[in-house]
Amino acid sequence: MNPFVPTVFDGALMALSVVALLLALAAFISLLLATTASGWRLLAWALVILFVPIVGPATWFVARRRERSVARGQG
């Protein structure tokens, strides 16, 4: 087997890496645009988004959606 020819596993791993990177980038931009996150909370969420691949950004989007629905229900 030639080590310079990528396998199917290499392609799948690369695709997963690109998806994780795009998801983290979208979550980070969403975090920066959020008006409710500031100070230590902003830092904590940024660390979770950057250092917990896929789960961190997904958790941010779920928490953000719940926060918006609670705020909409109160206002």
Side-chain angles (χ1 to χ4, degrees):
M1 196 175 334
N2 188 348
F4 297 112
V5 177
T7 63
V8 173
F9 178 71
D10 293 332
L13 194 59
M14 180 61 99
L16 183 65
S17 299
V18 169
V19 168
L21 179 65
L22 292 175
L23 187 62
L25 183 62
F28 194 65
I29 290 170
S30 172
L31 175 66
L32 292 177
L33 295 176
T35 57
T36 58
S38 63
W40 288 107
R41 186 171 182 222
L42 179 79
L43 178 64
W45 270 115
L47 292 175
V48 168
I49 288 170
L50 293 175
F51 292 116
V52 183
I54 299 174
V55 175
T59 305
W60 163 252
F61 285 122
V62 169
R64 182 75 175 138
R65 185 174 185 166
R66 285 185 182 169
E67 187 176 281
R68 283 183 179 174
S69 67
V70 168
R72 198 174 324 148
Q74 290 176 354

